[in-house]
Amino acid sequence: MILSPSMLSSDFANMEAELKALEAAGLDWVHLDVMDGMFVPNITFGPPIIKAMRAKSKLFFDCHLMIDDPGRYIEAFADAGADLICVHAEACTHLERVCAQIAETGAKPAVALNPHTPPEAIRYLLPQLYMVLVMSVNPGFGGQKFIPFCLDKVRDLKSMIEAAGADTLIQIDGGVTLDNARELTGAGVDVLVSGSAFFKYPPYGERYKAFQDACR
């Protein structure tokens, strides 16, 4: 199990300290939620902030673009230091082209699916995707409750990946807590994104261990 804490729930006034604390706690990934006020209602941050964060951290930057027409900005996010760039299937007219564009920058390509979007939408892309992100809440706000049918969606996606002979990771984002972590990883989730359920419970080392224990 990989835990990717969402910086959306961190202390924005002390982002460098937060990143250092995650590293000290033994975490390897951090989830960066980019919102444009169009694809989702809120606005967060973009390449300049990620570039500043990159200069202060060696964590794997798991960059989730909740933005319209993300193909316009792939190079900018890659240049800023994103290790993985995840775009929404719903935001791309030519999804395969955008995934190829991400791979060309050297970043790892990933696709996010909103709760209502079926895994079938990315069936033929699976061999070229490093990861698929299953949104288990509607994107744009932190602290929402997990949508139950997304668990079945994870199982369906896992079967599809195995049938394709791919090694694509499955990530889930939204309403992830200690209470459902084991059920999620048991269904096939490889990467858990947790925001408020992680950052609101310091020290981070103890919280990370609690998530690891919950998945056993």
Side-chain angles (χ1 to χ4, degrees):
M1 184 275 291
I2 298 170
L3 183 63
S4 190
S6 172
M7 287 294 286
L8 187 63
S9 297
S10 71
D11 180 359
F12 276 17
N14 294 286
M15 293 178 81
E16 179 181 357
E18 293 279 53
L19 291 168
K20 297 297 185 187
L22 293 177
E23 291 182 14
L27 287 127
D28 298 310
W29 286 39
V30 65
H31 191 78
L32 306 178
D33 288 302
V34 177
M35 304 181 189
D36 65 353
M38 298 294 290
F39 183 72
V40 293
N42 283 335
I43 298 173
T44 53
F45 48 78
I49 299 298
I50 292 174
K51 184 176 181 179
M53 294 169 67
R54 177 81 287 168
K56 303 297 183 180
S57 176
K58 296 180 180 178
L59 291 168
F60 183 89
F61 279 13
D62 163 24
C63 191
H64 177 196
L65 305 188
M66 287 173 271
I67 66 177
D68 277 336
D69 194 9
R72 298 172 293 166
Y73 303 106
I74 298 304
E75 289 189 10
F77 282 101
D79 290 345
D83 294 294
L84 176 151
I85 299 176
C86 183
V87 298
H88 270 262
E90 306 84 3
C92 299
T93 302
H94 303 289
L95 183 58
E96 193 282 334
R97 179 186 298 168
V98 176
C99 292
Q101 187 181 353
I102 295 169
E104 287 170 4
T105 69
K108 298 183 183 302
V111 172
L113 303 174
N114 278 342
H116 70 280
T117 304
E120 186 66 32
I122 45 87
R123 175 188 293 274
Y124 299 109
L125 287 178
L126 288 174
Q128 70 190 79
L129 297 180
Y130 182 78
M131 189 180 78
V132 176
L133 166 53
V134 175
M135 291 299 302
S136 44
V137 297
N138 289 292
F141 300 94
Q144 299 182 70
K145 291 185 178 180
F146 184 87
I147 297 173
F149 69 69
C150 292
L151 193 61
D152 290 330
K153 186 173 174 181
V154 168
R155 295 189 183 103
D156 290 345
L157 179 59
K158 184 68 173 179
S159 296
M160 191 178 291
I161 291 170
E162 291 174 349
D167 56 1
T168 312
L169 298 178
I170 298 175
Q171 182 180 68
I172 199 156
D173 182 2
V176 175
T177 67
L178 294 181
D179 293 333
N180 60 16
R182 184 173 184 179
E183 189 174 22
L184 292 171
T185 54
V189 173
D190 304 290
V191 185
L192 299 175
V193 176
S194 183
S196 55
F198 179 85
F199 278 103
K200 288 185 178 180
Y201 297 91
Y204 299 153
E206 291 183 12
R207 194 60 173 174
Y208 180 30
K209 186 178 186 303
F211 266 97
Q212 290 175 315
D213 290 344
C215 293
R216 295 194 174 101

